[in-house]
Amino acid sequence: MPRLLDSTGQPLWQIMRFYWAHANDHQKKTAGIGLVILIGLSILSSNALVFESLQRGEFISALATRDAQRFHTSLIILIGILLTSALFLSASTYVRERLGLHWRRWLTRYILTTYLSQQRFYRLSSDIDNPDQRMSEDIKKVTQTSVFILTTLLESGIQLIGFIGVLWSVSIGLTGFLVFYALVGSAIATFFFGVRLTHINTDQLKREATFRFGLIDIREHSESIAFHQGQPYANNNSRQRFRQVVQYFNLFIRWQFGLDLFQNGYQYLTFIIPSLILASHILSGNQEIGAVVQSQAAFDRIWLSLSLVIVQFEQLTAIAASIERLSQLIQKLQATDHIENSI
């Protein structure tokens, strides 16, 4: 029996591996070409950002020294880099979205076919809640959002290497301080906010789906409810489900406010730290003013790369909840009977 998940493995990795093991040759070829193009575009766009920060510093230094020839040359090069960067970024986004849609279409067809075969939909009706949400919203998040996050991880790794080189050439002390600063922030966000927000988001998705399912049930049984005068009962049930939605969403808002406050305060400090550290060198004439621009850009990008957990925290918690819910559905499908090896 082909297994979508190992009970002891990592669910997302198992879903990804299952695709490559069971998709047909044409589907795997399409996905493989898309992955190669996406990786190439991510490398090119990340390197373009590094060159852009270097050239922007040169551009500012040319202005500060009032060197017209240097200014015009740096301006032309900067415009060329910006246009190239815009092209790479746009193309990368397009390929990423197409690749996520390709994966979503395949996985949805597979699970839907499995769910509707051998009476599984009937046998699972009392074992798992809201299969409709799991096959629509959760598959969408797991496929398209995970492609986005994995691409962001790749780009962040490339940018981290490039911008550490830029920052190292400007100030070794600033580089060391930034690494420490970002690691501390990531640890606080992950261990203080992370676990709690993940659980809240999972419960919130479940209650939203239960509320929506109740409204669908009222529509499907409207004639019976009207005949038996069941409007008060239906109203009370719907209001009770909605109260739970509001309760958990309020809890989520409070924790998200705390995370946003921490994120914004932590990031805003990076706007002035490079200038403060390099101020003495600039004022003494040992470095040009463009070094501040270069270090600021490098500081921001390195901080974003090292603090990816903080920056993408909302999406990470959302996809973690969706992976858990989708894993439960797949495991239940496996438990009922053999999964048919065709789509």
Side-chain angles (χ1 to χ4, degrees), residues 203-217:
D203 291 336
Q204 175 66 16
L205 287 172
K206 181 177 180 179
R207 282 159 177 76
E208 291 276 7
T210 301
F211 174 63
R212 185 181 63 250
F213 181 79
L215 296 178
I216 295 173
D217 190 61

Side-chain angles (χ1 to χ4, degrees), residues 121-140:
F121 64 92
Y122 176 74
R123 283 178 283 169
L124 288 176
S125 59
S126 60
D127 292 338
I128 194 164
D129 63 281
N130 308 300
D132 57 305
Q133 183 198 32
R134 299 170 192 252
M135 286 186 285
S136 57
E137 296 180 18
D138 291 330
I139 287 181
K140 178 182 178 181

